[in-house]
Amino acid sequence: MVVLALVAIFAPVLAPYGHAETNYDQTLAPLGTPGHVLGTDVLGRDMLSRMIFGFRTALLVAVVAEALSVLFALLVGLTAGYRGGRVESFLMAITDVMYAFPGYLFAVLLVTVFGRSFWSVMIAIAIAGWVTQARLMRAQVMTIKKREFVEAAKGMGAKGPTIATRYILPNALGPLLVTTSFAVPAAITTEAGLSLLGMGIADMPSWGAMINEGVRYATSMPHMVISPALAFAVTLLAFTWIGDGIRDAFDVTQEEG
């Protein structure tokens, strides 16, 4: 994951060409073409450069979309779990409606309405993925707010917002971090799926868009599909393994040895 992050950060330095730089004299160049190790696409753009910049797109999706998703989940789950009553009923009714609606389809609708800008795609992915985390946060808060240290804080005169943010929230973050680590590859998959449908972020290279373009030439130039698909798979595996490590770190029932 560190290597992938470094590739994303230093993409302009590592990529031999710009991701949108075209060369119509070398369209659909095969593997091993001098100056184009992975060949070129139908517009003469260097495949290796577009794959490298694709890491940046994936990392932006992982960080921005999931940060927004966690923010939504924290606001809804913490408020509903701590306040209870009508506030909880109202917030969870909204959550249940969102939970019943297919998240991917909702993201497609939002991008269709608001366009293919960076923020519209990020917000669409975040809104489509916050529901499960909000329900988990609410369950954690409802359990923790009944514990003795919370009652002690109330007895010492701590106010509601202080109790929620200082005493309850830090103790409820563990399971949320685990689910977030597994939600990151799901967000990257959603962005790739949107790009595969031609609804991804405009003017930014995406592995989904590269796969979509390469499918037309899959029989004669399979590397146009295989190369971005492998990069996509490696990135998802990296995030998934990080999620496994975080889950094991928070699993207090796991025995050593």
Side-chain angles (χ1 to χ4, degrees):
M1 196 61 249
V2 172
V3 173
L4 297 180
L6 291 175
V7 170
I9 293 171
F10 297 103
V13 178
L14 297 175
Y17 303 93
H19 65 84
E21 185 176 343
T22 58
N23 183 357
Y24 295 108
D25 293 329
Q26 285 191 314
T27 59
L28 297 176
L31 283 171
T33 299
H36 302 284
V37 178
L38 294 181
T40 61
D41 63 7
V42 68
L43 297 178
R45 296 173 296 188
D46 183 62
M47 290 286 292
L48 177 60
S49 300
R50 289 181 62 77
M51 281 184 56
I52 291 174
F53 278 98
F55 280 108
R56 172 172 288 188
T57 303
L59 193 64
L60 283 173
V61 171
V63 174
V64 178
E66 275 311 300
L68 292 174
S69 182
V70 170
L71 180 60
F72 291 151
L74 285 175
L75 290 175
V76 174
L78 185 60
T79 303
Y82 185 74
R83 291 293 299 275
R86 294 182 179 179
V87 174
E88 179 186 12
S89 299
F90 174 73
L91 291 176
M92 296 317 297
I94 296 175
T95 304
D96 290 339
V97 170
M98 291 293 300
Y99 193 77
F101 201 89
Y104 187 79
L105 178 59
F106 191 76
V108 170
L109 291 176
L110 287 177
V111 174
T112 302
V113 173
F114 296 106
R116 297 173 55 195
S117 68
F118 173 80
W119 284 108
S120 64
V121 174
M122 292 301 100
I123 292 174
I125 295 174
I127 292 178
W130 66 271
V131 178
T132 302
Q133 294 166 309
R135 291 164 68 96
L136 176 63
M137 174 57 65
R138 167 181 168 266
Q140 286 292 113
V141 171
M142 291 181 66
T143 300
I144 295 173
K145 73 177 184 179
K146 299 177 182 178
R147 294 183 179 175
E148 291 80 2
F149 66 88
V150 176
E151 296 297 329
K154 292 179 180 179
M156 291 187 295
K159 303 297 182 182
T162 301
I163 295 173
T165 57
R166 184 175 178 181
Y167 296 97
I168 296 179
L169 180 59
N171 291 281
L173 283 179
L176 185 66
L177 291 176
V178 175
T179 57
T180 300
S181 63
F182 287 108
V184 165
I188 296 176
T189 303
T190 301
E191 189 278 329
L194 291 174
S195 298
L196 198 61
L197 296 175
M199 304 181 69
I201 305 171
D203 302 324
M204 291 184 68
S206 170
W207 296 325
M210 293 177 67
I211 294 172
N212 185 32
E213 295 167 0
V215 166
R216 291 174 290 179
Y217 309 97
T219 55
S220 59
M221 305 183 71
H223 67 278
M224 292 184 67
V225 175
I226 295 174
S227 298
L230 284 176
F232 181 71
V234 168
T235 303
L236 294 190
L237 281 174
F239 277 109
T240 302
W241 287 334
I242 288 177
D244 287 336
I246 295 176
R247 180 188 59 192
D248 294 341
F250 283 100
D251 186 5
V252 296
T253 62
Q254 181 175 287
E255 296 181 0
E256 296 184 0

